[in-house]
Amino acid sequence: MAPTIYGVGSGLFNKRSIQIPAFAATALDNGRPVVVGDGKGEWDNVHVQDLAALYEILAIRALEGGEDLPWGKKGIIFAAVGRFSWGEVARRVARACHDAGVLPDLPVESLSLAEGTKLFAESYLGEADELLVELGLASTGRTIPTVARSLGWKPARGQEDWERGFRDDVDAVLEERRNKRG
């Protein structure tokens, strides 16, 4: 069970996560950074490459027979490295957009769930209802990666990578938009 995944992936297809790029696209489309509600909800995060390392451990162990892998209810494996609030995400996206020269330095605007759903759906999520936006962009979900670490998972990316990830995600959204315009 992955929390918020950040960082630009190196795979062949989708190289971005959902949540931070959604905040970036919504800020860019509306000319201001936004957050749903008070922004105090907290989630955990993991860099995409650290998550891939965990999947590698699980795949190798499964191919080797999987006797030491937990299954069923005990097989829910969390991959948390850091923790953040949604208000922090909105502020860091705002800073990354300002640093990229695409938004003025503005405070984060708090939106109702209905307003937030409309803006996030129009900018990035497409078909999204209030439940999806509340759960994925405003709720609280805190975990401890006890099982992952007991399997030998050692994430290598920390706070500095988390902070750099905002710039990387904003740059990726901007690049995608440039490519679409041709």
Side-chain angles (χ1 to χ4, degrees):
M1 302 254 333
T4 291
I5 302 166
Y6 71 93
V8 178
S10 59
L12 298 174
F13 304 103
N14 183 16
K15 295 182 183 216
R16 287 186 296 133
S17 184
I18 296 170
Q19 293 155 310
I20 295 170
F23 274 85
T26 301
L28 292 168
D29 286 350
N30 295 285
R32 68 194 195 280
V34 298
V35 68
V36 175
D38 63 12
K40 291 183 181 177
E42 292 182 329
W43 264 40
D44 299 321
N45 63 53
V46 65
H47 191 279
V48 64
Q49 292 176 348
D50 284 334
L51 182 60
L54 176 57
Y55 284 132
E56 182 179 5
I57 289 168
L58 297 173
I60 289 169
R61 293 216 179 166
L63 290 170
E64 292 172 345
E67 289 84 22
D68 63 340
L69 288 176
W71 297 98
K73 289 181 181 180
K74 293 180 180 184
I76 298 173
I77 301 170
F78 297 108
V81 176
R83 185 162 291 155
F84 66 89
S85 73
W86 294 111
E88 174 192 345
V89 167
R91 288 187 299 276
R92 289 186 183 276
V93 163
R95 173 58 46 205
C97 288
H98 177 263
D99 291 349
V102 294
L103 280 183
D105 191 10
L106 296 171
V108 172
E109 182 180 337
S110 177
L111 303 175
S112 71
L113 181 57
E115 293 169 317
T117 299
K118 182 178 184 305
L119 288 185
F120 279 102
E122 289 172 355
S123 293
Y124 193 80
L125 299 176
E127 294 289 322
D129 60 20
E130 288 185 6
L131 179 61
L132 174 76
V133 171
E134 182 177 24
L135 291 176
L137 302 176
S139 66
T140 292
R142 293 176 251 170
T143 63
I144 300 171
T146 308
V147 174
R149 290 191 183 267
S150 74
L151 294 170
W153 183 56
K154 295 179 179 126
R157 285 136 196 102
Q159 187 65 26
E160 185 177 311
D161 296 285
W162 167 246
E163 292 170 10
R164 185 175 40 253
F166 288 92
R167 184 182 65 241
D168 294 344
D169 279 330
V170 165
D171 289 347
V173 169
L174 290 170
E175 180 67 23
E176 181 180 277
R177 288 170 176 220
R178 279 190 289 272
N179 290 340
K180 281 185 180 179
R181 281 184 249 150

